[in-house]
Amino acid sequence: MNNNINKPNNFDTKNYISKSYLHFDFPLTTAEATNFLSSISTDVLCKHRYLPFITYSIVFKKYLPKEKDVKPKRRKISLSSHHDALIYKYYSEILGYNYEKYVKNNNFQLVATAYRKNIGMDSIKAAREVFNFIDQTNESWIIKGDFHHFFDTLNHKILIKNIKEVLNVTVIPNDWKKMLTSLLKFKSISREKLKSQLSMVGINSPFKRNNQRAYIKNIRMLGELIKNNQLIFSNKNNVGIPQGTAISATLANVYMINFDKQINKITKHFNGIYRRYSDDFIIVIPTTTPLYKIISFKRYIVKRSQNIKLTIEPHKTKIFKFESAKSSITKLSYPNKKLKNNKSNKISSTPSSLDYLGFMFDGISVSLRPKSIYKYSYKSKRALKRLIMLENDNHISSLGNDEIQAKIQNYYVKKYPNGHEPATWRIANNYERKNYVDRIIAAKSRKINDILSFHKNVTQRYLCFNPRGKNISMMNYAIRAQKEFNKSQHSYNVVILKQVKRQIKRNQIALGKNRKNR
């Protein structure tokens, strides 16, 4: 090994866009990013002071297919400062360049399909490749699983060892060491706690750029506040890296090099394919390999993951069987003890579908998984409810005073009984009527352009079969996915567009009924 790290020819900042979230420094313009990078040297990077991450949590609803219910799920978001983000991107380019050379030289360049520009593989293309391979085999075994709390459990010693291997160095350079320390021993501040403490000392917003002198003063006060109140959380464990930085995904791929190399070698020996998309992995092997060997291989995978300090839960790692003659996929169940052959009558199978990267494959068709459709349906109902309310309030606010008063006196709301009985209507109570009056007053002062803008957004996302512009909607995604799956020859049907069109039709009917009954 040597200590000369290979670097890409250039780092292009022409299209660099700094995100506009609030932090301890300012978002960078393209010119500022270019100037900042041009001044970068090993000495500058060694002296650079990495700022703490600002963290907050978002709560979203997770659909549980078996229970046919939803439960709240919390996800932690870590934001690096704008200058730090650019530095992480700089190192990510170098590490990614060396990673691509490494996987090519070791003949497993197609295994990792996430976060790689060189192979141009997104989740749609990754799913299509796997489903097409399954489709082209008459019969195949499928092993599918995922790593539990992937980013949070990456072992630092293993990561450093693999970084040296990929960079082909014996010692991590000082500038790299400082950058990695900022990630491995990352410091963070809760946004909620920070705002609370700031307001106590009269700092309403230390982040605004319009007053440089006030900004510097506030930052100094902020530094003392953080120091005295110990608001900073430090990661003192030897595991885990923050998600969301420009280099986090590359580090995750580097962490998996030896696991990917070994699993891919065995899979190739069985004439199959092994693919990993971040923490999700899938293996497809023709049934010319006996089942008892597949079960042993699955157990080896679980054991191999433990060697790199990761967890693959055995009960969540499933084995499926695809049979083209029956156009079916079945899930296998078998005892925990070792099987000496694949003729055991203790192995059972049940009809199933393969859920991979947001798509379902049942041997006959490819569709969006129920969770995705449920989330789209849920968001549709909320958006349409809001649009209907705005339109109704705007209509009522345009009436005469006597008519408005009559509407307020005869305002009804839905009553939802316990159980599965249909909803009924009841006269509104005083609190509900007051809220209704406030809405009418707000509607009188609301600009028509605000309603039109919201209407346009809802139409593009939930009511339009042919959305225009760059708006990201489920229909845009469905069109792209349908087109991507249909690029290659296969025997299965692709019903992704059909699913989304069906939901859009329901949305149109719901909106039409309301307008008709107004």
Side-chain angles (χ1 to χ4, degrees):
M1 289 187 180
N2 60 67
N3 287 330
N4 295 318
I5 297 173
N6 292 314
K7 297 181 180 180
N9 294 329
N10 62 340
F11 182 75
D12 185 18
T13 56
K14 184 185 294 184
N15 299 315
Y16 180 78
I17 299 175
S18 184
K19 295 181 180 179
S20 59
Y21 54 80
L22 294 178
H23 216 287
F24 299 121
D25 60 350
F26 308 127
L28 299 168
T29 65
T30 301
E32 288 171 337
T34 303
N35 291 335
F36 181 67
L37 283 174
S38 65
S39 65
I40 275 184
S41 64
T42 301
D43 290 339
V44 169
L45 291 169
C46 285
K47 295 175 183 177
H48 178 75
R49 182 182 178 185
Y50 291 90
L51 295 173
F53 290 86
I54 293 181
T55 63
Y56 65 96
S57 295
I58 57 173
V59 179
F60 57 96
K61 294 186 177 180
K62 184 177 181 181
Y63 177 60
L64 304 173
K66 290 183 179 179
E67 293 84 355
K68 293 185 178 179
D69 197 6
V70 294
K71 71 172 184 178
K73 185 175 181 181
R74 189 176 294 272
R75 177 175 292 168
K76 188 176 181 180
I77 304 297
S78 300
L79 300 175
S80 60
S81 74
H82 301 286
H83 288 78
D84 292 352
L86 185 58
I87 291 175
Y88 292 142
K89 187 171 178 61
Y90 169 78
Y91 280 108
S92 178
E93 291 283 328
I94 299 172
L95 185 60
Y97 177 76
N98 285 271
Y99 172 81
E100 294 297 336
K101 290 183 66 175
Y102 182 89
V103 295
K104 185 177 180 181
N105 291 338
N106 288 274
N107 200 28
F108 66 102
Q109 63 266 39
L110 298 179
V111 168
T113 54
Y115 321 121
R116 294 176 60 195
K117 294 183 293 185
N118 285 30
I119 61 174
M121 188 79 74
D122 59 12
S123 60
I124 299 173
K125 293 177 182 177
R128 183 200 66 188
E129 182 202 19
V130 170
F131 293 162
N132 283 355
F133 186 87
I134 296 171
D135 183 58
Q136 289 161 11
T137 62
N138 291 325
E139 292 186 1
S140 57
W141 309 115
I142 304 162
I143 304 174
K144 184 185 177 298
D146 60 67
F147 298 93
H148 187 61
H149 295 309
F150 185 51
F151 283 90
D152 295 333
T153 55
L154 299 183
N155 183 274
H156 294 172
K157 288 184 178 179
I158 295 174
L159 180 59
I160 294 295
K161 175 179 173 292
N162 289 0
I163 289 172
K164 290 180 183 178
E165 191 172 341
V166 168
L167 294 179
N168 193 30
V169 297
T170 53
V171 179
I172 298 287
N174 288 335
D175 59 316
W176 279 80
K177 191 179 294 183
K178 186 163 187 178
M179 181 275 295
L180 290 169
T181 300
S182 74
L183 288 168
L184 305 186
K185 302 296 181 185
F186 64 90
K187 298 181 184 300
S188 63
I189 303 176
S190 165
R191 188 169 67 179
E192 289 73 21
K193 288 183 180 179
L194 181 60
K195 285 184 176 180
S196 173
Q197 292 293 326
L198 290 174
S199 63
M200 289 175 62
V201 294
I203 305 177
N204 295 320
S205 177
F207 312 112
K208 291 192 176 179
R209 191 171 193 163
N210 53 1
N211 190 329
Q212 188 81 3
R213 184 175 295 178
Y215 174 83
I216 294 171
K217 179 183 176 182
N218 284 343
I219 284 293
R220 287 174 179 169
M221 289 178 64
L222 181 62
E224 290 299 315
L225 185 69
I226 292 170
K227 183 178 178 181
N228 295 333
N229 287 274
Q230 298 180 332
L231 296 178
I232 291 183
F233 165 79
S234 298
N235 181 35
K236 296 181 180 180
N237 300 318
N238 292 319
V239 296
I241 61 173
Q243 295 185 53
T245 73
I247 197 172
S248 298
T250 311
L251 289 173
N253 279 338
V254 169
Y255 188 90
M256 298 299 294
I257 54 173
N258 291 309
F259 180 90
D260 288 346
K261 191 191 306 180
Q262 184 62 23
I263 301 303
N264 186 60
K265 181 180 178 181
I266 297 171
T267 305
K268 277 189 171 183
H269 176 73
F270 291 143
N271 298 314
I273 62 166
Y274 160 56
R275 296 291 181 265
R276 181 181 58 79
Y277 195 94
S278 188
D279 57 349
D280 285 312
F281 70 88
I282 191 166
I283 295 166
V284 184
I285 296 171
T287 54
T288 49
T289 299
L291 178 56
Y292 76 93
K293 288 189 176 182
I294 299 299
I295 294 174
S296 296
F297 185 27
K298 178 206 148 180
R299 288 175 177 147
Y300 171 79
I301 292 168
V302 173
K303 186 177 180 180
R304 190 76 178 79
S305 71
Q306 295 168 354
N307 293 342
I308 57 169
K309 312 298 182 183
L310 293 179
T311 302
I312 298 176
E313 297 184 38
H315 68 281
K316 288 187 177 181
T317 309
K318 300 169 184 175
I319 297 179
F320 301 85
K321 183 180 182 180
F322 168 72
E323 296 177 272
S324 62
K326 297 179 181 179
S327 296
S328 67
I329 288 181
T330 52
K331 184 174 69 174
L332 305 184
S333 300
Y334 48 87
N336 288 329
K337 64 180 182 179
K338 291 185 178 181
L339 299 174
K340 293 182 179 180
N341 56 62
N342 63 342
K343 297 179 181 179
S344 173
N345 56 11
K346 293 183 179 180
I347 297 175
S348 61
S349 62
T350 54
S352 185
S353 296
L354 181 64
D355 181 352
Y356 185 58
L357 303 183
F359 299 97
M360 300 293 292
F361 179 51
D362 59 6
I364 300 173
S365 61
V366 169
S367 59
L368 292 171
R369 62 182 174 182
K371 185 192 295 185
S372 301
I373 293 297
Y374 171 82
K375 286 170 67 176
Y376 182 59
S377 173
Y378 177 79
K379 289 180 179 179
S380 298
K381 288 176 182 177
R382 291 191 63 181
L384 289 173
K385 185 177 180 181
R386 173 67 176 163
L387 177 62
I388 289 168
M389 186 180 70
L390 285 175
E391 289 186 346
N392 286 346
D393 292 350
N394 187 60
H395 169 70
I396 292 167
S397 68
S398 66
L399 302 175
N401 288 334
D402 292 341
E403 290 178 286
I404 291 175
Q405 288 301 319
K407 289 282 186 182
I408 293 171
Q409 292 302 318
N410 295 290
Y411 179 53
Y412 280 75
V413 295
K414 275 189 176 182
K415 178 183 178 182
Y416 296 94
N418 295 328
H420 300 284
E421 298 176 23
T424 56
W425 291 89
R426 62 170 173 79
I427 192 72
N429 58 38
N430 291 335
Y431 175 76
E432 291 164 337
R433 190 175 283 108
K434 181 182 179 301
N435 287 342
Y436 183 60
V437 171
D438 292 341
R439 279 168 36 201
I440 302 303
I441 294 172
K444 281 182 174 292
S445 61
R446 187 177 292 116
K447 295 179 181 179
I448 189 64
N449 285 342
D450 293 339
I451 299 176
L452 292 175
S453 176
F454 184 74
H455 179 274
K456 181 180 178 181
N457 184 275
V458 172
T459 300
Q460 288 283 327
R461 289 181 178 271
Y462 307 111
L463 298 166
C464 186
F465 288 120
N466 297 297
R468 297 178 181 177
K470 296 182 179 180
N471 182 42
I472 303 300
S473 69
M474 179 64 89
M475 194 61 189
N476 287 125
Y477 182 77
I479 291 170
R480 187 160 63 88
Q482 184 87 21
K483 184 178 179 181
E484 194 63 49
F485 274 99
N486 286 335
K487 277 184 179 179
S488 56
Q489 290 186 347
H490 48 71
S491 63
Y492 56 80
N493 298 317
V494 183
V495 296
I496 298 168
L497 262 179
K498 186 178 179 180
Q499 286 178 288
V500 179
K501 283 183 176 180
R502 187 187 299 126
Q503 183 58 47
I504 288 176
K505 187 67 176 176
R506 289 172 183 160
N507 296 342
Q508 291 173 344
I509 292 171
L511 184 61
K513 281 182 179 179
N514 175 77
R515 287 173 172 170
K516 186 177 180 181
N517 296 329
R518 181 180 296 161

